[in-house]
Amino acid sequence: MDRDKLDVLEKLHKDKIKKMSKKGEERIEECERCIKEMQDMELQRELKYNTAITAILGVFLAIFIALAASSISYNRRVSRAEKTEKQKQEQSLAIKNDSSQVKEEAKNNSSVKKDEKPKTKEVKQEEKPYYEKIGTSLDKEEDRKKILQTALSLTGGKYEGINIKYMVSILNANGVKIPNDVSRTDTLVKELEKQGWKKSTNASDLRKGDIVFTLDTVGISGVPSHVYIFMGWEDSKKENGHVVDALSAKDNVTYHKRPITVQSETTDKMQFFMRK
């Protein structure tokens, strides 16, 4: 074969190879494009899948949170209701116990004898006012004479000045501490005032046991002429009354009648009395 034919054949061959290569490249590109499209589709599918999964998980999570919150709220309501019910039961039990106790006390009280008198609180001697104690202590003659003997021991058995010592002994016997050396009415008044005794000139207010001081001694201002213990009125006129003193101690008389609010030739009327 000549050279020209060979050249033509070689050219044809190269053209064919070139065409085939070009087609191959086109097919490769087409394959790569198809692969890329498939990859894009796969990515989109995975994205949609993941989004769906996330949404589903979110829904389940929201449901779980809602159920948990509802459960907690329910438990709190139940706990509160149980606590309230327990308090009601305790209150009911307390009321029942109180009622039982009241019934028991009523039953016990009803068992007390009808003729049994309720006990009254006994007033202690120390709680009584002094005028009551003094008046009561002089009711009996034997008690008055006993105190008189104490007064005579202060005078050495002499009746001179015995009356003021008698008053001092009466007061000391009833818890009013007066010095034994008091020998004048004005001194006795001062000692009583030191201890809170008060003066009164209202004769209508006199009570049994009050200490009465008469008008001042003639010529000696501020010194009552006599002192005695008032024991009660003789009549409703409130002029004369019964008293305790030692004017007649020599005759063994310590309780007698004398004018209280009226002046006589032998006795002075009341100037004031003292009480505590």
Side-chain angles (χ1 to χ4, degrees):
M1 186 175 294
D2 57 14
R3 187 66 184 173
D4 292 332
K5 288 182 179 182
L6 287 173
D7 291 336
V8 171
L9 290 172
E10 184 177 357
K11 185 179 180 181
L12 291 172
H13 182 67
K14 288 180 179 181
D15 291 338
K16 187 175 182 180
I17 292 173
K18 188 176 181 178
K19 288 181 180 180
M20 290 178 64
S21 298
K22 187 176 181 180
K23 289 182 179 180
E25 290 177 358
E26 290 177 354
R27 289 182 178 178
I28 290 171
E29 289 177 358
E30 185 177 354
C31 288
E32 288 177 352
R33 187 171 55 256
C34 290
I35 291 171
K36 185 176 181 181
E37 290 177 355
M38 292 177 66
Q39 288 177 345
D40 291 341
M41 291 175 63
E42 184 65 22
L43 288 173
Q44 291 179 359
R45 188 184 65 80
E46 288 183 0
L47 181 59
K48 291 180 179 179
Y49 176 79
N50 291 336
T51 302
I53 293 297
T54 301
I56 293 172
L57 290 176
V59 171
F60 277 111
L61 182 60
I63 294 173
F64 176 78
I65 292 173
L67 290 175
S70 177
S71 176
I72 292 172
S73 176
Y74 174 77
N75 290 334
R76 287 180 178 176
R77 288 197 300 272
V78 171
S79 177
R80 193 181 300 112
E82 291 177 350
K83 186 177 180 180
T84 302
E85 183 65 24
K86 186 177 180 180
Q87 289 177 347
K88 288 182 179 179
Q89 291 177 357
E90 290 176 351
Q91 291 175 354
S92 176
L93 182 61
I95 293 172
K96 186 177 180 180
N97 291 337
D98 290 342
S99 177
S100 299
Q101 186 176 359
V102 170
K103 290 180 180 179
E104 185 66 24
E105 290 178 355
K107 183 178 179 181
N108 293 335
N109 292 334
S110 65
S111 64
V112 179
K113 295 180 180 179
K114 294 182 179 180
D115 58 346
E116 185 178 349
K117 296 181 180 180
K119 295 182 179 180
T120 57
K121 185 178 180 181
E122 190 174 324
V123 179
K124 295 183 179 180
Q125 189 73 2
E126 292 76 16
E127 295 177 351
K128 293 180 179 179
Y130 284 112
Y131 72 88
E132 284 190 13
K133 291 192 288 183
I134 292 171
T136 302
S137 71
L138 300 174
D139 280 336
K140 297 180 180 179
E141 183 179 0
E142 58 186 42
D143 293 331
R144 295 194 299 271
K145 289 183 177 181
K146 185 177 179 180
I147 297 175
L148 180 60
Q149 293 302 314
T150 302
L152 285 169
S153 69
L154 297 178
T155 64
K158 298 178 181 181
Y159 286 94
E160 183 181 355
I162 189 64
N163 189 67
I164 190 69
K165 297 298 183 182
Y166 192 32
M167 296 299 111
V168 170
S169 298
I170 291 173
L171 289 165
N172 282 325
N174 287 279
V176 184
K177 302 303 179 183
I178 302 296
N180 291 329
D181 59 357
V182 171
S183 58
R184 290 165 53 110
T185 54
D186 57 338
T187 307
L188 179 58
V189 170
K190 291 178 181 178
E191 289 293 334
L192 291 173
E193 286 179 330
K194 287 179 183 178
Q195 299 185 40
W197 289 65
K198 303 297 182 182
K199 292 181 180 179
S200 175
T201 58
N202 184 8
S204 62
D205 189 39
L206 272 170
R207 299 177 188 175
K208 178 181 176 180
D210 284 337
I211 304 175
V212 181
F213 293 85
T214 60
L215 297 176
D216 290 348
T217 304
V218 177
I220 307 176
S221 178
V223 181
S225 63
H226 187 53
V227 56
Y228 54 83
I229 306 298
F230 177 77
M231 296 298 287
W233 294 106
E234 183 187 29
D235 51 43
S236 59
K237 293 182 180 180
K238 293 186 177 182
E239 292 180 351
N240 302 307
H242 297 282
V243 303
V244 169
D245 61 18
L247 286 180
S248 302
K250 286 184 179 181
D251 300 326
N252 238 354
V253 176
T254 55
Y255 183 92
H256 62 92
K257 181 180 73 173
R258 71 164 283 152
I260 304 295
T261 59
V262 293
Q263 185 78 2
S264 72
E265 293 181 358
T266 58
T267 59
D268 290 330
K269 66 178 181 179
M270 182 195 89
Q271 180 182 180
F272 61 85
F273 68 87
M274 299 189 75
R275 179 192 298 160
K276 182 180 179 181

